[in-house]
Amino acid sequence: MVQRTLSAKNLSHAKGGSLLAAYLKLLPFLLFILPGMMSRVLYPEEVACASPESCEKACKNPAGCTNVAYPWLVLRILPPGLRGLMLAALLAALMSSLTSIFNSASSMFTLDIWQTIRRQAKERELMLVGRTCVLALVGVSILWIPILQSAGGGTLWNYMQAVSSYIAPPWCVCFVLGVFWTRTTEQGAFWGLITGFVVGIIRMGIDFAYQAPLCGSGEPDTRPAVLTKVHFLHFSIILSAISSAVTVAVSLLTKPQPPEKLRRVTWWTRNEELPAEEFDDEENEKKDEIIITHELEMEENTNEESVSKVKRCLLYFYHWICGAPATTKAISKADRAEHIKMLTSIEENPFWAKILNINCMIVLLVCTFLLGYFG
Protein backbone atom coordinates (compact mmCIF):
# COMPACT_ATOMS: atom_id res chain seq x y z
CA MET A 1 0.00 0.00 0.00
CA VAL A 2 2.89 2.36 0.76
CA GLN A 3 4.39 1.67 -2.65
CA ARG A 4 1.15 2.54 -4.41
CA THR A 5 0.67 5.63 -2.25
CA LEU A 6 4.06 6.93 -3.35
CA SER A 7 2.88 6.69 -6.97
CA ALA A 8 -0.15 8.93 -6.33
CA LYS A 9 -0.64 12.08 -8.37
CA ASN A 10 -0.54 14.38 -5.34
CA LEU A 11 -0.85 14.30 -1.56
CA SER A 12 -4.65 14.47 -1.57
CA HIS A 13 -4.87 11.42 -3.82
CA ALA A 14 -2.43 9.55 -1.60
CA LYS A 15 -4.41 10.38 1.55
CA GLY A 16 -7.69 9.51 -0.17
CA GLY A 17 -6.38 6.13 -1.29
CA SER A 18 -5.13 5.35 2.21
CA LEU A 19 -8.49 6.33 3.73
CA LEU A 20 -10.36 4.15 1.23
CA ALA A 21 -8.13 1.22 2.20
CA ALA A 22 -8.82 2.02 5.88
CA TYR A 23 -12.58 1.96 5.31
CA LEU A 24 -12.27 -1.33 3.43
CA LYS A 25 -10.27 -2.73 6.35
CA LEU A 26 -13.38 -2.32 8.53
CA LEU A 27 -15.33 -4.72 6.32
CA PRO A 28 -13.58 -7.98 7.35
CA PHE A 29 -15.76 -8.01 10.47
CA LEU A 30 -18.77 -8.51 8.21
CA LEU A 31 -16.98 -10.48 5.49
CA PHE A 32 -15.13 -12.98 7.70
CA ILE A 33 -16.87 -13.38 11.03
CA LEU A 34 -20.55 -13.33 10.05
CA PRO A 35 -20.25 -15.85 7.15
CA GLY A 36 -18.30 -18.14 9.47
CA MET A 37 -20.99 -17.91 12.14
CA MET A 38 -23.72 -18.62 9.57
CA SER A 39 -21.80 -21.61 8.24
CA ARG A 40 -21.44 -23.06 11.73
CA VAL A 41 -25.21 -22.75 12.26
CA LEU A 42 -26.13 -24.23 8.87
CA TYR A 43 -23.60 -27.08 9.01
CA PRO A 44 -23.13 -27.97 12.69
CA GLU A 45 -21.89 -31.50 11.97
CA GLU A 46 -19.30 -30.36 9.45
CA VAL A 47 -17.98 -26.81 9.98
CA ALA A 48 -18.75 -26.96 13.72
CA CYS A 49 -17.22 -30.43 14.19
CA ALA A 50 -16.21 -30.94 17.83
CA SER A 51 -13.62 -33.74 17.62
CA PRO A 52 -10.64 -34.56 15.39
CA GLU A 53 -12.37 -37.70 14.17
CA SER A 54 -15.53 -35.88 13.04
CA CYS A 55 -13.47 -33.12 11.40
CA GLU A 56 -11.37 -35.69 9.56
CA LYS A 57 -14.55 -37.32 8.29
CA ALA A 58 -16.16 -34.01 7.26
CA CYS A 59 -13.31 -32.17 5.53
CA LYS A 60 -10.20 -34.38 5.73
CA ASN A 61 -8.58 -32.03 8.27
CA PRO A 62 -8.50 -33.16 11.92
CA ALA A 63 -7.60 -29.64 13.10
CA GLY A 64 -10.96 -28.19 12.04
CA CYS A 65 -13.14 -27.35 9.06
CA THR A 66 -13.02 -23.55 9.21
CA ASN A 67 -11.19 -23.43 5.86
CA VAL A 68 -14.30 -24.71 4.03
CA ALA A 69 -16.87 -22.56 5.83
CA TYR A 70 -17.07 -19.87 3.14
CA PRO A 71 -16.68 -22.17 0.08
CA TRP A 72 -19.54 -24.35 1.29
CA LEU A 73 -21.81 -21.33 1.72
CA VAL A 74 -21.05 -20.30 -1.85
CA LEU A 75 -21.32 -23.78 -3.39
CA ARG A 76 -24.38 -25.01 -1.48
CA ILE A 77 -26.59 -21.91 -1.22
CA LEU A 78 -25.95 -19.59 -4.17
CA PRO A 79 -27.45 -20.34 -7.61
CA PRO A 80 -25.11 -21.31 -10.48
CA GLY A 81 -24.69 -17.76 -11.85
CA LEU A 82 -23.87 -16.09 -8.55
CA ARG A 83 -21.76 -19.08 -7.55
CA GLY A 84 -19.40 -18.56 -10.48
CA LEU A 85 -19.36 -14.81 -9.90
CA MET A 86 -18.38 -15.18 -6.24
CA LEU A 87 -15.64 -17.70 -7.02
CA ALA A 88 -14.30 -15.42 -9.77
CA ALA A 89 -14.25 -12.49 -7.32
CA LEU A 90 -12.46 -14.64 -4.76
CA LEU A 91 -9.80 -15.68 -7.27
CA ALA A 92 -9.43 -12.09 -8.51
CA ALA A 93 -8.85 -10.84 -4.96
CA LEU A 94 -6.31 -13.60 -4.38
CA MET A 95 -4.45 -12.79 -7.59
CA SER A 96 -4.46 -9.08 -6.74
CA SER A 97 -2.90 -9.76 -3.34
CA LEU A 98 -0.27 -12.06 -4.83
CA THR A 99 0.70 -9.61 -7.57
CA SER A 100 1.04 -6.80 -5.01
CA ILE A 101 3.33 -8.92 -2.82
CA PHE A 102 5.41 -10.16 -5.74
CA ASN A 103 5.75 -6.65 -7.17
CA SER A 104 6.86 -5.17 -3.84
CA ALA A 105 9.32 -7.97 -3.12
CA SER A 106 10.87 -7.86 -6.60
CA SER A 107 11.15 -4.05 -6.40
CA MET A 108 12.99 -4.25 -3.08
CA PHE A 109 15.39 -6.89 -4.40
CA THR A 110 16.04 -5.07 -7.67
CA LEU A 111 16.43 -1.53 -6.30
CA ASP A 112 17.95 -2.19 -2.88
CA ILE A 113 20.11 -5.27 -3.49
CA TRP A 114 20.80 -5.70 -7.19
CA GLN A 115 21.65 -2.03 -7.76
CA THR A 116 24.07 -2.22 -4.84
CA ILE A 117 25.86 -5.11 -6.58
CA ARG A 118 25.67 -3.59 -10.08
CA ARG A 119 25.60 0.18 -9.71
CA GLN A 120 25.70 0.81 -13.47
CA ALA A 121 22.86 -1.58 -14.31
CA LYS A 122 20.68 -0.36 -17.15
CA GLU A 123 16.91 -0.11 -17.11
CA ARG A 124 16.38 -3.25 -19.18
CA GLU A 125 18.66 -5.27 -16.92
CA LEU A 126 16.74 -4.12 -13.83
CA MET A 127 13.44 -4.98 -15.50
CA LEU A 128 14.68 -8.45 -16.43
CA VAL A 129 16.05 -9.05 -12.91
CA GLY A 130 12.73 -7.96 -11.39
CA ARG A 131 10.74 -10.36 -13.53
CA THR A 132 13.16 -13.19 -12.81
CA CYS A 133 12.74 -12.44 -9.11
CA VAL A 134 8.96 -12.76 -9.49
CA LEU A 135 9.37 -16.19 -11.09
CA ALA A 136 11.64 -17.25 -8.21
CA LEU A 137 9.08 -16.04 -5.68
CA VAL A 138 6.34 -18.03 -7.42
CA GLY A 139 8.50 -21.15 -7.14
CA VAL A 140 9.18 -20.52 -3.44
CA SER A 141 5.45 -20.01 -2.87
CA ILE A 142 4.65 -23.36 -4.44
CA LEU A 143 7.31 -25.09 -2.33
CA TRP A 144 5.90 -23.41 0.79
CA ILE A 145 2.46 -25.02 0.42
CA PRO A 146 3.32 -28.18 2.48
CA ILE A 147 4.58 -25.98 5.33
CA LEU A 148 1.40 -23.91 5.16
CA GLN A 149 -0.74 -27.04 5.34
CA SER A 150 1.07 -28.30 8.43
CA ALA A 151 1.32 -24.95 10.25
CA GLY A 152 -1.46 -24.14 12.70
CA GLY A 153 -3.07 -27.49 12.04
CA GLY A 154 -3.86 -26.40 8.50
CA THR A 155 -6.16 -23.51 9.51
CA LEU A 156 -5.37 -20.60 7.20
CA TRP A 157 -6.70 -17.86 9.48
CA ASN A 158 -4.45 -18.79 12.41
CA TYR A 159 -1.49 -19.19 10.06
CA MET A 160 -1.91 -15.72 8.49
CA GLN A 161 -2.36 -13.99 11.84
CA ALA A 162 0.61 -15.78 13.41
CA VAL A 163 3.00 -15.07 10.53
CA SER A 164 1.96 -11.40 10.50
CA SER A 165 2.62 -11.17 14.23
CA TYR A 166 6.11 -12.64 13.76
CA ILE A 167 7.21 -10.52 10.79
CA ALA A 168 5.24 -7.24 10.61
CA PRO A 169 6.06 -5.50 13.97
CA PRO A 170 9.72 -4.61 13.17
CA TRP A 171 8.69 -2.99 9.89
CA CYS A 172 5.94 -1.00 11.57
CA VAL A 173 8.31 0.19 14.31
CA CYS A 174 10.96 1.17 11.76
CA PHE A 175 8.44 3.13 9.70
CA VAL A 176 6.90 4.96 12.68
CA LEU A 177 10.24 5.90 14.25
CA GLY A 178 11.68 6.97 10.90
CA VAL A 179 8.77 9.31 10.24
CA PHE A 180 8.21 10.78 13.70
CA TRP A 181 11.68 10.70 15.34
CA THR A 182 14.34 12.70 13.54
CA ARG A 183 17.11 11.16 15.64
CA THR A 184 16.60 7.77 13.96
CA THR A 185 19.69 6.76 12.00
CA GLU A 186 20.26 4.30 9.20
CA GLN A 187 22.22 1.97 11.47
CA GLY A 188 19.49 2.06 14.13
CA ALA A 189 16.77 1.21 11.61
CA PHE A 190 18.89 -1.58 10.11
CA TRP A 191 19.74 -3.29 13.39
CA GLY A 192 16.21 -2.82 14.70
CA LEU A 193 14.86 -4.61 11.63
CA ILE A 194 17.48 -7.35 11.76
CA THR A 195 16.95 -8.00 15.48
CA GLY A 196 13.17 -8.06 15.16
CA PHE A 197 13.37 -10.30 12.09
CA VAL A 198 15.69 -12.80 13.79
CA VAL A 199 13.57 -12.94 16.97
CA GLY A 200 10.38 -13.32 14.93
CA ILE A 201 11.85 -16.05 12.73
CA ILE A 202 13.03 -17.97 15.80
CA ARG A 203 9.55 -17.83 17.32
CA MET A 204 7.97 -18.83 13.99
CA GLY A 205 10.38 -21.77 13.65
CA ILE A 206 9.53 -22.99 17.15
CA ASP A 207 5.83 -22.59 16.39
CA PHE A 208 6.15 -24.69 13.23
CA ALA A 209 8.32 -27.32 14.94
CA TYR A 210 5.93 -27.96 17.84
CA GLN A 211 2.36 -28.59 16.76
CA ALA A 212 -0.43 -27.71 19.17
CA PRO A 213 -2.70 -30.59 20.28
CA LEU A 214 -5.88 -30.85 18.26
CA CYS A 215 -8.97 -29.20 19.67
CA GLY A 216 -11.18 -31.76 21.39
CA SER A 217 -8.52 -34.47 21.45
CA GLY A 218 -7.85 -34.18 25.20
CA GLU A 219 -4.09 -34.46 24.66
CA PRO A 220 -1.81 -32.48 27.03
CA ASP A 221 0.01 -29.46 25.61
CA THR A 222 3.73 -30.31 25.88
CA ARG A 223 5.03 -27.40 23.83
CA PRO A 224 7.63 -24.96 25.26
CA ALA A 225 6.37 -22.23 27.58
CA VAL A 226 7.14 -19.55 25.00
CA LEU A 227 4.28 -21.04 22.93
CA THR A 228 1.84 -22.11 25.62
CA LYS A 229 2.18 -19.04 27.88
CA VAL A 230 2.68 -16.30 25.25
CA HIS A 231 0.01 -15.91 22.57
CA PHE A 232 1.26 -14.80 19.17
CA LEU A 233 -0.64 -11.50 19.47
CA HIS A 234 1.03 -10.82 22.81
CA PHE A 235 4.34 -11.83 21.24
CA SER A 236 3.87 -9.13 18.57
CA ILE A 237 3.78 -6.52 21.37
CA ILE A 238 6.99 -7.94 22.85
CA LEU A 239 8.61 -8.00 19.40
CA SER A 240 7.63 -4.36 18.81
CA ALA A 241 9.20 -3.37 22.15
CA ILE A 242 12.43 -5.25 21.32
CA SER A 243 12.69 -3.65 17.86
CA SER A 244 11.97 -0.19 19.29
CA ALA A 245 14.59 -0.59 22.03
CA VAL A 246 17.29 -1.74 19.59
CA THR A 247 16.47 1.01 17.08
CA VAL A 248 16.54 3.76 19.73
CA ALA A 249 19.70 2.45 21.41
CA VAL A 250 21.69 2.08 18.19
CA SER A 251 20.45 5.45 16.90
CA LEU A 252 21.60 7.20 20.08
CA LEU A 253 25.00 5.53 19.86
CA THR A 254 25.61 6.46 16.22
CA LYS A 255 26.12 9.76 14.46
CA PRO A 256 22.83 11.60 13.78
CA GLN A 257 21.75 12.46 10.28
CA PRO A 258 22.70 16.01 9.19
CA PRO A 259 19.75 18.43 8.86
CA GLU A 260 20.10 18.64 5.09
CA LYS A 261 19.52 14.88 4.84
CA LEU A 262 16.23 15.13 6.75
CA ARG A 263 14.49 17.59 4.46
CA ARG A 264 11.08 16.35 3.30
CA VAL A 265 11.58 12.85 4.75
CA THR A 266 10.08 13.16 8.27
CA TRP A 267 6.85 14.55 9.69
CA TRP A 268 8.64 17.52 11.28
CA THR A 269 10.61 18.44 8.16
CA ARG A 270 7.93 17.80 5.56
CA ASN A 271 7.50 21.52 4.73
CA GLU A 272 11.16 22.31 4.21
CA GLU A 273 12.21 23.25 0.70
CA LEU A 274 14.80 21.28 -1.23
CA PRO A 275 17.66 23.43 -2.58
CA ALA A 276 17.97 23.51 -6.33
CA GLU A 277 21.51 22.14 -6.33
CA GLU A 278 20.27 18.81 -4.94
CA PHE A 279 18.68 18.08 -8.30
CA ASP A 280 22.02 18.24 -10.13
CA ASP A 281 24.10 15.61 -8.40
CA GLU A 282 26.76 13.48 -10.06
CA GLU A 283 24.64 10.33 -9.93
CA ASN A 284 21.92 11.88 -12.11
CA GLU A 285 24.55 13.17 -14.53
CA LYS A 286 26.02 9.68 -14.84
CA LYS A 287 22.56 8.24 -15.45
CA ASP A 288 21.99 10.83 -18.19
CA GLU A 289 25.28 9.84 -19.84
CA ILE A 290 24.31 6.17 -19.70
CA ILE A 291 20.86 6.88 -21.15
CA ILE A 292 22.22 9.04 -23.97
CA THR A 293 24.94 6.51 -24.83
CA HIS A 294 22.47 3.62 -24.75
CA GLU A 295 20.05 5.59 -26.92
CA LEU A 296 22.71 6.24 -29.54
CA GLU A 297 23.73 2.59 -29.51
CA MET A 298 20.12 1.49 -30.02
CA GLU A 299 19.61 3.96 -32.89
CA GLU A 300 22.80 2.77 -34.59
CA ASN A 301 21.85 -0.88 -34.19
CA THR A 302 18.29 -0.43 -35.42
CA ASN A 303 19.23 1.84 -38.35
CA GLU A 304 21.98 -0.33 -39.83
CA GLU A 305 20.97 -1.80 -43.14
CA SER A 306 22.81 -5.00 -42.34
CA VAL A 307 20.43 -5.86 -39.52
CA SER A 308 18.13 -8.58 -40.76
CA LYS A 309 14.40 -8.69 -40.24
CA VAL A 310 14.75 -11.70 -37.93
CA LYS A 311 17.14 -9.81 -35.68
CA ARG A 312 14.76 -6.86 -35.59
CA CYS A 313 11.91 -9.15 -34.54
CA LEU A 314 14.06 -10.75 -31.85
CA LEU A 315 15.11 -7.31 -30.60
CA TYR A 316 11.50 -6.17 -30.49
CA PHE A 317 10.52 -9.33 -28.60
CA TYR A 318 13.38 -8.74 -26.13
CA HIS A 319 12.16 -5.20 -25.42
CA TRP A 320 8.60 -6.46 -25.04
CA ILE A 321 9.66 -9.14 -22.53
CA CYS A 322 11.71 -6.63 -20.53
CA GLY A 323 8.83 -4.16 -20.50
CA ALA A 324 11.01 -1.28 -21.72
CA PRO A 325 10.73 0.87 -24.86
CA ALA A 326 13.10 0.30 -27.74
CA THR A 327 14.57 3.80 -27.35
CA THR A 328 14.97 6.11 -24.40
CA LYS A 329 15.04 9.88 -24.18
CA ALA A 330 17.35 11.93 -22.01
CA ILE A 331 15.95 14.95 -20.16
CA SER A 332 17.74 18.15 -19.28
CA LYS A 333 18.67 19.17 -15.75
CA ALA A 334 16.09 21.95 -15.72
CA ASP A 335 13.30 19.61 -16.83
CA ARG A 336 14.34 17.03 -14.24
CA ALA A 337 14.39 19.65 -11.47
CA GLU A 338 10.93 20.88 -12.43
CA HIS A 339 9.61 17.32 -12.61
CA ILE A 340 11.01 16.42 -9.17
CA LYS A 341 9.60 19.63 -7.69
CA MET A 342 6.16 18.72 -9.01
CA LEU A 343 6.40 15.14 -7.68
CA THR A 344 7.57 16.22 -4.22
CA SER A 345 4.98 18.97 -3.76
CA ILE A 346 2.71 18.49 -0.72
CA GLU A 347 0.37 21.37 -1.46
CA GLU A 348 -3.31 20.54 -1.01
CA ASN A 349 -6.64 22.09 -1.79
CA PRO A 350 -7.88 23.39 1.61
CA PHE A 351 -11.39 22.01 1.03
CA TRP A 352 -10.28 18.49 0.20
CA ALA A 353 -7.65 18.55 2.94
CA LYS A 354 -10.39 19.29 5.49
CA ILE A 355 -12.63 16.53 4.10
CA LEU A 356 -9.79 14.00 4.23
CA ASN A 357 -8.84 14.97 7.79
CA ILE A 358 -12.45 14.58 8.96
CA ASN A 359 -12.63 11.12 7.37
CA CYS A 360 -9.36 10.18 9.04
CA MET A 361 -10.83 11.05 12.46
CA ILE A 362 -13.98 9.03 11.66
CA VAL A 363 -11.93 5.94 10.74
CA LEU A 364 -9.84 6.24 13.91
CA LEU A 365 -12.91 6.58 16.13
CA VAL A 366 -14.76 3.67 14.48
CA CYS A 367 -11.68 1.42 14.66
CA THR A 368 -11.11 2.33 18.32
CA PHE A 369 -14.74 1.58 19.15
CA LEU A 370 -14.70 -1.81 17.40
CA LEU A 371 -11.46 -2.87 19.04
CA GLY A 372 -12.65 -1.73 22.47
CA TYR A 373 -16.15 -3.18 22.20
CA PHE A 374 -15.42 -6.54 20.61
CA GLY A 375 -11.92 -6.97 22.03
Side-chain angles (χ1 to χ4, degrees), residues 16 50 58 61 83 95 122 176 178 193 229 239 252 258 324 336 364:
N61 185 4
R83 186 186 309 164
M95 293 300 296
K122 298 179 181 180
V176 171
L193 283 174
K229 303 297 183 181
L239 186 58
L252 293 176
R336 187 197 318 116
L364 289 176

Side-chain angles (χ1 to χ4, degrees), residues 26 29 363-375:
L26 299 176
F29 173 75
V363 170
L364 289 176
L365 292 175
V366 172
C367 183
T368 303
F369 170 77
L370 292 176
L371 290 176
Y373 184 80
F374 292 101

Side-chain angles (χ1 to χ4, degrees), residues 28-43:
F29 173 75
L30 300 176
L31 298 178
F32 296 162
I33 299 178
L34 294 183
M37 296 172 62
M38 290 186 292
S39 185
R40 286 179 65 88
V41 173
L42 293 175
Y43 312 111

Side-chain angles (χ1 to χ4, degrees), residues 38-330:
M38 290 186 292
S39 185
R40 286 179 65 88
V41 173
L42 293 175
Y43 312 111
E45 300 299 329
E46 298 170 325
V47 176
C49 54
S51 64
E53 293 77 14
S54 58
C55 293
E56 176 70 25
K57 182 179 179 181
C59 62
K60 308 300 181 183
N61 185 4
C65 295
T66 56
N67 293 341
V68 298
Y70 179 76
W72 280 355
L73 283 178
V74 174
L75 295 175
R76 297 183 179 183
I77 295 179
L78 294 180
L82 289 178
R83 186 186 309 164
L85 180 62
M86 291 300 295
L87 292 178
L90 180 64
L91 291 177
L94 178 62
M95 293 300 296
S96 176
S97 300
L98 290 176
T99 53
S100 299
I101 295 173
F102 291 156
N103 181 57
S104 301
S106 64
S107 298
M108 288 193 300
F109 175 80
T110 304
L111 300 179
D112 297 336
I113 299 178
W114 188 260
Q115 275 196 327
T116 304
I117 301 174
R118 290 180 53 83
R119 297 183 180 275
Q120 302 298 331
K122 298 179 181 180
E123 181 182 357
R124 289 172 178 79
E125 179 182 346
L126 296 177
M127 186 70 68
L128 195 59
V129 170
R131 298 193 174 189
T132 305
C133 181
V134 171
L135 292 177
L137 291 174
V138 172
V140 172
S141 302
I142 295 174
L143 296 176
W144 192 261
I145 291 177
I147 300 177
L148 189 150
Q149 291 177 338
S150 62
T155 52
L156 296 177
W157 177 259
N158 291 338
Y159 170 81
M160 291 189 299
Q161 298 302 315
V163 171
S164 299
S165 299
Y166 301 149
I167 296 178
W171 294 96
C172 180
V173 168
C174 178
F175 184 81
V176 171
L177 289 178
V179 171
F180 293 103
W181 191 41
T182 56
R183 188 60 177 81
T184 306
T185 63
E186 181 181 354
Q187 295 87 345
F190 175 78
W191 287 110
L193 283 174
I194 292 298
T195 304
F197 178 77
V198 171
V199 174
I201 289 297
I202 292 175
R203 165 66 191 245
M204 185 171 66
I206 297 174
D207 195 1
F208 289 172
Y210 295 91
Q211 294 295 324
L214 299 176
C215 180
S217 63
E219 299 176 359
D221 194 346
T222 59
R223 295 179 298 166
V226 69
L227 298 178
T228 58
K229 303 297 183 181
V230 183
H231 193 266
F232 61 79
L233 294 178
H234 297 159
F235 179 80
S236 66
I237 301 176
I238 299 174
L239 186 58
S240 299
I242 294 174
S243 300
S244 301
V246 173
T247 302
V248 171
V250 176
S251 296
L252 293 176
L253 294 174
T254 52
K255 184 179 178 180
Q257 293 286 342
E260 59 270 13
K261 295 293 185 180
L262 297 177
R263 292 173 180 154
R264 307 295 293 272
V265 297
T266 69
W267 173 262
W268 315 109
T269 60
R270 66 189 187 280
N271 294 318
E272 295 184 6
E273 293 293 334
L274 290 174
E277 57 267 16
E278 289 194 11
F279 298 132
D280 300 329
D281 53 6
E282 296 181 358
E283 183 178 355
N284 287 329
E285 292 179 359
K286 291 181 180 179
K287 289 183 178 179
D288 281 348
E289 294 177 0
I290 294 173
I291 290 175
I292 294 172
T293 304
H294 186 60
E295 180 185 9
L296 293 176
E297 291 176 356
M298 292 301 303
E299 289 181 355
E300 291 177 359
N301 292 334
T302 54
N303 291 331
E304 288 181 355
E305 296 181 357
S306 59
V307 177
S308 64
K309 186 176 181 180
V310 176
K311 290 184 178 180
R312 288 178 182 271
C313 293
L314 293 176
L315 189 63
Y316 176 81
F317 181 74
Y318 167 76
H319 294 315
W320 180 74
I321 288 293
C322 292
T327 59
T328 55
K329 295 182 179 180

